[in-house]
Structures are given as C-alpha cells and as structure tokens.
mmCIF file of all heavy atoms in Angstrom:
data_model
loop_
_atom_site.group_PDB
_atom_site.id
_atom_site.type_symbol
_atom_site.label_atom_id
_atom_site.label_comp_id
_atom_site.label_asym_id
_atom_site.label_seq_id
_atom_site.Cartn_x
_atom_site.Cartn_y
_atom_site.Cartn_z
ATOM 1 N N ALA A 169 128.108 77.852 117.626
ATOM 2 C CA ALA A 169 127.470 78.829 116.727
ATOM 3 C C ALA A 169 128.471 79.909 116.302
ATOM 4 O O ALA A 169 129.593 79.959 116.968
ATOM 5 C CB ALA A 169 126.266 79.454 117.331
ATOM 6 N N ALA A 170 128.120 80.706 115.338
ATOM 7 C CA ALA A 170 129.169 81.701 114.868
ATOM 8 C C ALA A 170 129.479 82.609 115.826
ATOM 9 O O ALA A 170 130.730 83.066 115.902
ATOM 10 C CB ALA A 170 128.514 82.331 113.567
ATOM 11 N N TRP A 171 128.620 82.997 116.666
ATOM 12 C CA TRP A 171 128.885 83.937 117.718
ATOM 13 C C TRP A 171 129.662 83.437 118.872
ATOM 14 O O TRP A 171 130.333 84.131 119.698
ATOM 15 C CB TRP A 171 127.666 84.612 118.338
ATOM 16 C CG TRP A 171 126.637 83.583 118.973
ATOM 17 C CD1 TRP A 171 125.792 82.914 118.339
ATOM 18 C CD2 TRP A 171 126.654 83.008 120.265
ATOM 19 N NE1 TRP A 171 125.147 82.032 119.151
ATOM 20 C CE2 TRP A 171 125.740 82.096 120.323
ATOM 21 C CE3 TRP A 171 127.475 83.230 121.470
ATOM 22 C CZ2 TRP A 171 125.301 81.393 121.478
ATOM 23 C CZ3 TRP A 171 127.206 82.469 122.515
ATOM 24 C CH2 TRP A 171 126.193 81.596 122.542
ATOM 25 N N SER A 172 129.563 82.139 119.142
ATOM 26 C CA SER A 172 130.175 81.458 120.397
ATOM 27 C C SER A 172 131.810 81.340 120.329
ATOM 28 O O SER A 172 132.380 81.454 121.291
ATOM 29 C CB SER A 172 129.634 80.040 120.522
ATOM 30 O OG SER A 172 130.034 79.059 119.578
ATOM 31 N N PHE A 173 132.362 81.368 119.165
ATOM 32 C CA PHE A 173 133.804 81.265 119.001
ATOM 33 C C PHE A 173 134.486 82.639 119.518
ATOM 34 O O PHE A 173 135.339 82.657 120.259
ATOM 35 C CB PHE A 173 134.192 80.855 117.575
ATOM 36 C CG PHE A 173 133.845 79.495 117.285
ATOM 37 C CD1 PHE A 173 132.819 79.248 116.510
ATOM 38 C CD2 PHE A 173 134.640 78.447 117.855
ATOM 39 C CE1 PHE A 173 132.482 77.822 116.226
ATOM 40 C CE2 PHE A 173 134.255 77.062 117.528
ATOM 41 C CZ PHE A 173 133.371 76.850 116.742
ATOM 42 N N PRO A 174 133.960 83.797 119.041
ATOM 43 C CA PRO A 174 134.501 84.994 119.566
ATOM 44 C C PRO A 174 134.194 85.110 120.984
ATOM 45 O O PRO A 174 135.029 85.760 121.791
ATOM 46 C CB PRO A 174 133.682 86.122 118.797
ATOM 47 C CG PRO A 174 133.289 85.505 117.387
ATOM 48 C CD PRO A 174 133.037 83.929 117.860
ATOM 49 N N GLN A 175 133.060 84.686 121.452
ATOM 50 C CA GLN A 175 132.752 84.646 122.860
ATOM 51 C C GLN A 175 133.763 83.922 123.833
ATOM 52 O O GLN A 175 134.215 84.377 124.780
ATOM 53 C CB GLN A 175 131.335 84.157 123.171
ATOM 54 C CG GLN A 175 130.888 84.037 124.601
ATOM 55 C CD GLN A 175 130.471 85.438 125.104
ATOM 56 O OE1 GLN A 175 130.561 86.454 124.440
ATOM 57 N NE2 GLN A 175 130.024 85.437 126.392
ATOM 58 N N ARG A 176 134.069 82.800 123.303
ATOM 59 C CA ARG A 176 135.124 81.960 124.035
ATOM 60 C C ARG A 176 136.531 82.533 123.988
ATOM 61 O O ARG A 176 137.267 82.093 124.777
ATOM 62 C CB ARG A 176 135.093 80.559 123.469
ATOM 63 C CG ARG A 176 135.631 80.313 122.018
ATOM 64 C CD ARG A 176 137.187 80.023 122.075
ATOM 65 N NE ARG A 176 137.613 80.125 120.713
ATOM 66 C CZ ARG A 176 137.837 79.033 119.929
ATOM 67 N NH1 ARG A 176 137.447 77.921 120.204
ATOM 68 N NH2 ARG A 176 138.310 79.336 118.697
ATOM 69 N N ASN A 177 136.819 83.395 123.117
ATOM 70 C CA ASN A 177 138.255 83.897 122.986
ATOM 71 C C ASN A 177 138.571 84.846 124.180
ATOM 72 O O ASN A 177 139.751 84.867 124.574
ATOM 73 C CB ASN A 177 138.213 84.734 121.777
ATOM 74 C CG ASN A 177 138.399 83.882 120.470
ATOM 75 O OD1 ASN A 177 138.362 82.833 120.489
ATOM 76 N ND2 ASN A 177 138.325 84.619 119.234
ATOM 77 N N ARG A 178 137.684 85.356 124.837
ATOM 78 C CA ARG A 178 137.915 86.133 126.138
ATOM 79 C C ARG A 178 138.358 85.185 127.216
ATOM 80 O O ARG A 178 139.156 85.495 128.040
ATOM 81 C CB ARG A 178 136.708 86.837 126.598
ATOM 82 C CG ARG A 178 135.687 86.044 127.407
ATOM 83 C CD ARG A 178 134.359 86.740 127.557
ATOM 84 N NE ARG A 178 133.557 86.121 128.621
ATOM 85 C CZ ARG A 178 132.944 85.039 128.531
ATOM 86 N NH1 ARG A 178 132.961 84.290 127.271
ATOM 87 N NH2 ARG A 178 132.145 84.551 129.432
ATOM 88 N N ILE A 179 137.950 83.861 127.215
ATOM 89 C CA ILE A 179 138.331 82.852 128.145
ATOM 90 C C ILE A 179 139.816 82.475 127.866
ATOM 91 O O ILE A 179 140.688 82.344 128.853
ATOM 92 C CB ILE A 179 137.480 81.642 128.149
ATOM 93 C CG1 ILE A 179 135.997 82.077 128.376
ATOM 94 C CG2 ILE A 179 137.874 80.604 129.175
ATOM 95 C CD1 ILE A 179 135.054 80.925 128.347
ATOM 96 N N ILE A 180 140.163 82.225 126.584
ATOM 97 C CA ILE A 180 141.595 81.951 126.192
ATOM 98 C C ILE A 180 142.548 83.018 126.715
ATOM 99 O O ILE A 180 143.535 82.713 127.427
ATOM 100 C CB ILE A 180 141.646 81.832 124.636
ATOM 101 C CG1 ILE A 180 140.831 80.757 124.210
ATOM 102 C CG2 ILE A 180 143.132 81.606 124.288
ATOM 103 C CD1 ILE A 180 140.718 80.548 122.750
ATOM 104 N N SER A 181 142.170 84.301 126.414
ATOM 105 C CA SER A 181 143.107 85.352 126.955
ATOM 106 C C SER A 181 143.009 85.483 128.490
ATOM 107 O O SER A 181 144.053 85.768 129.147
ATOM 108 C CB SER A 181 142.749 86.704 126.202
ATOM 109 O OG SER A 181 141.485 87.014 126.513
ATOM 110 N N GLY A 182 141.851 85.277 129.050
ATOM 111 C CA GLY A 182 141.667 85.422 130.495
ATOM 112 C C GLY A 182 142.342 84.427 131.303
ATOM 113 O O GLY A 182 142.780 84.707 132.431
ATOM 114 N N LEU A 183 142.543 83.184 130.718
ATOM 115 C CA LEU A 183 143.304 82.225 131.455
ATOM 116 C C LEU A 183 144.831 82.372 131.240
ATOM 117 O O LEU A 183 145.621 81.612 131.903
ATOM 118 C CB LEU A 183 143.038 80.813 130.884
ATOM 119 C CG LEU A 183 141.578 80.235 131.250
ATOM 120 C CD1 LEU A 183 141.278 79.041 130.345
ATOM 121 C CD2 LEU A 183 141.529 79.876 132.827
ATOM 122 N N SER A 184 145.346 83.280 130.461
ATOM 123 C CA SER A 184 146.740 83.325 130.152
ATOM 124 C C SER A 184 147.318 84.648 130.534
ATOM 125 O O SER A 184 146.845 85.646 130.553
ATOM 126 C CB SER A 184 146.800 83.250 128.556
ATOM 127 O OG SER A 184 146.039 82.148 128.006
ATOM 128 N N ALA A 185 148.590 84.428 130.896
ATOM 129 C CA ALA A 185 149.422 85.658 131.264
ATOM 130 C C ALA A 185 149.835 86.455 130.019
ATOM 131 O O ALA A 185 150.026 87.778 130.142
ATOM 132 C CB ALA A 185 150.734 85.253 132.063
ATOM 133 N N ALA A 186 149.920 85.789 128.964
ATOM 134 C CA ALA A 186 150.184 86.589 127.716
ATOM 135 C C ALA A 186 149.614 85.772 126.494
ATOM 136 O O ALA A 186 149.413 84.526 126.594
ATOM 137 C CB ALA A 186 151.717 86.501 127.449
ATOM 138 N N THR A 187 149.355 86.457 125.409
ATOM 139 C CA THR A 187 148.868 85.951 124.206
ATOM 140 C C THR A 187 149.710 86.100 123.031
ATOM 141 O O THR A 187 150.283 87.266 122.898
ATOM 142 C CB THR A 187 147.474 86.479 123.843
ATOM 143 O OG1 THR A 187 146.474 86.125 124.853
ATOM 144 C CG2 THR A 187 146.992 86.066 122.534
ATOM 145 N N ILE A 188 150.077 85.129 122.414
ATOM 146 C CA ILE A 188 150.996 85.117 121.191
ATOM 147 C C ILE A 188 150.250 84.883 119.851
ATOM 148 O O ILE A 188 149.685 83.777 119.812
ATOM 149 C CB ILE A 188 152.149 84.101 121.396
ATOM 150 C CG1 ILE A 188 152.861 84.283 122.705
ATOM 151 C CG2 ILE A 188 153.200 84.141 120.213
ATOM 152 C CD1 ILE A 188 153.525 83.000 123.347
ATOM 153 N N VAL A 189 150.221 85.773 118.990
ATOM 154 C CA VAL A 189 149.583 85.658 117.674
ATOM 155 C C VAL A 189 150.470 85.115 116.722
ATOM 156 O O VAL A 189 151.570 85.806 116.413
ATOM 157 C CB VAL A 189 148.892 86.885 117.330
ATOM 158 C CG1 VAL A 189 148.074 86.608 116.032
ATOM 159 C CG2 VAL A 189 147.944 87.455 118.417
ATOM 160 N N VAL A 190 150.279 83.925 116.130
ATOM 161 C CA VAL A 190 151.212 83.472 114.967
ATOM 162 C C VAL A 190 150.319 83.423 113.729
ATOM 163 O O VAL A 190 149.551 82.434 113.577
ATOM 164 C CB VAL A 190 151.642 82.039 115.327
ATOM 165 C CG1 VAL A 190 152.521 81.555 114.253
ATOM 166 C CG2 VAL A 190 152.339 82.009 116.687
ATOM 167 N N GLU A 191 150.483 84.256 112.810
ATOM 168 C CA GLU A 191 149.792 84.449 111.580
ATOM 169 C C GLU A 191 148.202 84.554 111.883
ATOM 170 O O GLU A 191 147.556 83.807 112.497
ATOM 171 C CB GLU A 191 149.922 83.045 110.809
ATOM 172 C CG GLU A 191 151.391 82.976 110.164
ATOM 173 C CD GLU A 191 151.421 81.912 108.973
ATOM 174 O OE1 GLU A 191 150.520 81.029 109.058
ATOM 175 O OE2 GLU A 191 152.334 82.161 108.123
ATOM 176 N N ALA A 192 147.776 85.664 111.348
ATOM 177 C CA ALA A 192 146.411 86.036 111.334
ATOM 178 C C ALA A 192 145.984 86.972 110.256
ATOM 179 O O ALA A 192 146.753 87.978 110.114
ATOM 180 C CB ALA A 192 146.065 86.745 112.712
ATOM 181 N N GLY A 193 144.964 86.650 109.522
ATOM 182 C CA GLY A 193 144.566 87.525 108.440
ATOM 183 C C GLY A 193 143.619 88.621 109.038
ATOM 184 O O GLY A 193 143.307 88.580 110.215
ATOM 185 N N HIS A 194 143.234 89.530 108.202
ATOM 186 C CA HIS A 194 142.217 90.526 108.525
ATOM 187 C C HIS A 194 140.948 89.803 108.991
ATOM 188 O O HIS A 194 140.418 88.980 108.347
ATOM 189 C CB HIS A 194 141.949 91.432 107.380
ATOM 190 C CG HIS A 194 143.036 92.519 107.189
ATOM 191 N ND1 HIS A 194 143.411 93.416 108.155
ATOM 192 C CD2 HIS A 194 143.739 92.792 106.060
ATOM 193 C CE1 HIS A 194 144.389 94.215 107.656
ATOM 194 N NE2 HIS A 194 144.634 93.880 106.481
ATOM 195 N N GLY A 195 140.356 90.206 110.150
ATOM 196 C CA GLY A 195 139.140 89.523 110.645
ATOM 197 C C GLY A 195 139.391 88.286 111.271
ATOM 198 O O GLY A 195 138.476 87.617 111.692
ATOM 199 N N SER A 196 140.562 87.798 111.562
ATOM 200 C CA SER A 196 140.904 86.525 112.261
ATOM 201 C C SER A 196 140.391 86.598 113.657
ATOM 202 O O SER A 196 140.530 87.609 114.327
ATOM 203 C CB SER A 196 142.302 86.389 112.168
ATOM 204 O OG SER A 196 142.668 85.122 113.009
ATOM 205 N N GLY A 197 139.811 85.417 114.141
ATOM 206 C CA GLY A 197 139.413 85.394 115.535
ATOM 207 C C GLY A 197 140.527 85.481 116.507
ATOM 208 O O GLY A 197 140.457 86.046 117.630
ATOM 209 N N ALA A 198 141.768 85.333 116.058
ATOM 210 C CA ALA A 198 143.009 85.469 116.884
ATOM 211 C C ALA A 198 143.160 86.884 117.257
ATOM 212 O O ALA A 198 143.756 87.275 118.315
ATOM 213 C CB ALA A 198 144.272 84.992 116.153
ATOM 214 N N LEU A 199 142.680 87.852 116.430
ATOM 215 C CA LEU A 199 142.859 89.255 116.701
ATOM 216 C C LEU A 199 141.851 89.648 117.838
ATOM 217 O O LEU A 199 142.068 90.585 118.584
ATOM 218 C CB LEU A 199 142.651 90.086 115.536
ATOM 219 C CG LEU A 199 143.628 89.828 114.274
ATOM 220 C CD1 LEU A 199 143.143 90.751 113.178
ATOM 221 C CD2 LEU A 199 145.013 90.043 114.807
ATOM 222 N N ILE A 200 140.740 89.019 117.765
ATOM 223 C CA ILE A 200 139.677 89.186 118.895
ATOM 224 C C ILE A 200 140.392 88.652 120.285
ATOM 225 O O ILE A 200 140.174 89.505 121.269
ATOM 226 C CB ILE A 200 138.444 88.463 118.698
ATOM 227 C CG1 ILE A 200 137.689 88.932 117.465
ATOM 228 C CG2 ILE A 200 137.378 88.563 119.852
ATOM 229 C CD1 ILE A 200 136.535 88.144 116.956
ATOM 230 N N THR A 201 141.003 87.555 120.253
ATOM 231 C CA THR A 201 141.712 87.162 121.442
ATOM 232 C C THR A 201 142.826 88.134 121.834
ATOM 233 O O THR A 201 142.936 88.368 123.008
ATOM 234 C CB THR A 201 142.347 85.781 121.166
ATOM 235 O OG1 THR A 201 141.426 84.890 120.671
ATOM 236 C CG2 THR A 201 142.873 85.217 122.534
ATOM 237 N N ALA A 202 143.573 88.669 120.917
ATOM 238 C CA ALA A 202 144.525 89.556 121.260
ATOM 239 C C ALA A 202 143.937 90.818 121.824
ATOM 240 O O ALA A 202 144.574 91.449 122.822
ATOM 241 C CB ALA A 202 145.370 89.897 120.067
ATOM 242 N N ARG A 203 142.986 91.501 121.228
ATOM 243 C CA ARG A 203 142.303 92.566 121.741
ATOM 244 C C ARG A 203 141.797 92.436 123.159
ATOM 245 O O ARG A 203 141.801 93.219 124.052
ATOM 246 C CB ARG A 203 141.341 93.067 120.762
ATOM 247 C CG ARG A 203 141.895 93.578 119.434
ATOM 248 C CD ARG A 203 140.927 94.216 118.512
ATOM 249 N NE ARG A 203 141.613 94.758 117.303
ATOM 250 C CZ ARG A 203 141.470 94.123 116.132
ATOM 251 N NH1 ARG A 203 140.647 93.090 116.081
ATOM 252 N NH2 ARG A 203 142.009 94.538 115.140
ATOM 253 N N ALA A 204 141.191 91.111 123.404
ATOM 254 C CA ALA A 204 140.679 90.872 124.705
ATOM 255 C C ALA A 204 141.774 90.853 125.743
ATOM 256 O O ALA A 204 141.639 91.336 126.887
ATOM 257 C CB ALA A 204 139.856 89.491 124.622
ATOM 258 N N ALA A 205 142.886 90.392 125.406
ATOM 259 C CA ALA A 205 143.968 90.264 126.270
ATOM 260 C C ALA A 205 144.614 91.630 126.633
ATOM 261 O O ALA A 205 144.778 91.916 127.777
ATOM 262 C CB ALA A 205 145.280 89.473 125.516
ATOM 263 N N LEU A 206 144.584 92.558 125.609
ATOM 264 C CA LEU A 206 144.945 93.926 125.949
ATOM 265 C C LEU A 206 143.936 94.588 126.845
ATOM 266 O O LEU A 206 144.380 95.292 127.789
ATOM 267 C CB LEU A 206 145.117 94.770 124.658
ATOM 268 C CG LEU A 206 146.090 94.402 123.581
ATOM 269 C CD1 LEU A 206 146.099 95.181 122.322
ATOM 270 C CD2 LEU A 206 147.495 94.628 124.282
ATOM 271 N N GLN A 207 142.676 94.334 126.686
ATOM 272 C CA GLN A 207 141.724 95.040 127.469
ATOM 273 C C GLN A 207 141.773 94.390 128.976
ATOM 274 O O GLN A 207 141.420 95.037 129.973
ATOM 275 C CB GLN A 207 140.211 94.632 127.051
ATOM 276 C CG GLN A 207 140.012 95.397 125.679
ATOM 277 C CD GLN A 207 138.700 94.932 125.109
ATOM 278 O OE1 GLN A 207 138.049 94.021 125.452
ATOM 279 N NE2 GLN A 207 138.273 95.602 124.076
ATOM 280 N N GLN A 208 142.212 93.203 129.047
ATOM 281 C CA GLN A 208 142.537 92.476 130.383
ATOM 282 C C GLN A 208 143.762 92.780 131.016
ATOM 283 O O GLN A 208 144.104 92.337 132.071
ATOM 284 C CB GLN A 208 142.186 91.005 130.254
ATOM 285 C CG GLN A 208 140.835 90.550 129.871
ATOM 286 C CD GLN A 208 140.786 89.250 129.148
ATOM 287 O OE1 GLN A 208 141.903 88.467 128.819
ATOM 288 N NE2 GLN A 208 139.664 88.573 129.082
ATOM 289 N N GLY A 209 144.570 93.653 130.380
ATOM 290 C CA GLY A 209 145.899 94.131 130.934
ATOM 291 C C GLY A 209 146.778 93.001 130.787
ATOM 292 O O GLY A 209 147.933 92.940 131.554
ATOM 293 N N ARG A 210 146.774 92.101 129.662
ATOM 294 C CA ARG A 210 147.689 91.039 129.648
ATOM 295 C C ARG A 210 148.698 91.492 128.454
ATOM 296 O O ARG A 210 148.373 92.152 127.565
ATOM 297 C CB ARG A 210 147.019 89.738 129.239
ATOM 298 C CG ARG A 210 145.889 89.413 130.098
ATOM 299 C CD ARG A 210 146.337 89.137 131.567
ATOM 300 N NE ARG A 210 145.176 89.001 132.561
ATOM 301 C CZ ARG A 210 144.387 88.143 132.815
ATOM 302 N NH1 ARG A 210 144.659 86.886 132.085
ATOM 303 N NH2 ARG A 210 143.461 88.192 133.695
ATOM 304 N N ASP A 211 149.849 90.752 128.418
ATOM 305 C CA ASP A 211 150.864 91.045 127.294
ATOM 306 C C ASP A 211 150.409 90.358 126.083
ATOM 307 O O ASP A 211 149.820 89.283 126.133
ATOM 308 C CB ASP A 211 152.168 90.415 127.761
ATOM 309 C CG ASP A 211 152.814 91.188 128.885
ATOM 310 O OD1 ASP A 211 152.550 92.380 129.017
ATOM 311 O OD2 ASP A 211 153.671 90.619 129.686
ATOM 312 N N VAL A 212 150.694 90.964 124.996
ATOM 313 C CA VAL A 212 150.384 90.347 123.588
ATOM 314 C C VAL A 212 151.750 90.430 122.815
ATOM 315 O O VAL A 212 152.331 91.518 122.736
ATOM 316 C CB VAL A 212 149.336 91.233 122.881
ATOM 317 C CG1 VAL A 212 149.126 90.774 121.445
ATOM 318 C CG2 VAL A 212 147.976 91.056 123.773
ATOM 319 N N PHE A 213 151.943 89.437 122.206
ATOM 320 C CA PHE A 213 153.134 89.160 121.270
ATOM 321 C C PHE A 213 152.742 88.865 119.886
ATOM 322 O O PHE A 213 151.647 88.064 119.678
ATOM 323 C CB PHE A 213 154.122 88.231 121.799
ATOM 324 C CG PHE A 213 154.752 88.518 123.167
ATOM 325 C CD1 PHE A 213 154.153 88.265 124.369
ATOM 326 C CD2 PHE A 213 156.180 89.084 123.206
ATOM 327 C CE1 PHE A 213 154.698 88.652 125.563
ATOM 328 C CE2 PHE A 213 156.646 89.425 124.245
ATOM 329 C CZ PHE A 213 156.055 89.153 125.553
ATOM 330 N N VAL A 214 153.326 89.322 118.885
ATOM 331 C CA VAL A 214 152.976 89.019 117.533
ATOM 332 C C VAL A 214 154.180 88.611 116.730
ATOM 333 O O VAL A 214 155.193 89.193 116.826
ATOM 334 C CB VAL A 214 152.265 90.261 116.812
ATOM 335 C CG1 VAL A 214 152.081 90.134 115.352
ATOM 336 C CG2 VAL A 214 150.902 90.626 117.407
ATOM 337 N N VAL A 215 153.939 87.526 115.922
ATOM 338 C CA VAL A 215 155.063 87.030 115.004
ATOM 339 C C VAL A 215 154.908 87.827 113.739
ATOM 340 O O VAL A 215 153.823 87.665 112.981
ATOM 341 C CB VAL A 215 154.902 85.511 114.722
ATOM 342 C CG1 VAL A 215 155.935 85.074 113.775
ATOM 343 C CG2 VAL A 215 155.065 84.740 116.109
#
C-alpha cells in the first residue's frame, strides 16, 4: 500500500551501516530512508 513503502524504508536503513542516496527528487522515498538512517545514528552519503 502507499503507506507500506515509507514504513519499510526504516528496515533498509536499519540493516545498513550506511545509506547512499543516488539521485532523489523532492519527496522521494529515498530521502525518508536517509532521514531514518540519520535518526538511527548511521552514516549517510549523497551523490
């Protein structure tokens, strides 16, 4: 469902030591993953 993709993003970042964002527009789900990673104390890299 529409809400389930943002929900799963916390698992992507939670499984990872770092998150790398490669191209993301305004409102992209990738930004939700990146912000979740920052909240979880993980490294975030942006291209």
Side-chain angles (χ1 to χ4, degrees):
W171 58 266
S172 62
F173 291 102
Q175 177 79 0
R176 66 90 193 267
N177 289 350
R178 81 191 195 287
I179 302 177
I180 295 175
S181 59
L183 286 170
S184 309
T187 292
I188 304 158
V189 182
V190 182
E191 290 194 336
H194 282 302
S196 171
L199 301 182
I200 297 175
T201 307
R203 293 185 179 106
L206 292 174
Q207 291 171 357
Q208 293 162 347
R210 313 295 166 83
D211 292 330
V212 173
F213 294 82
V214 169
V215 177

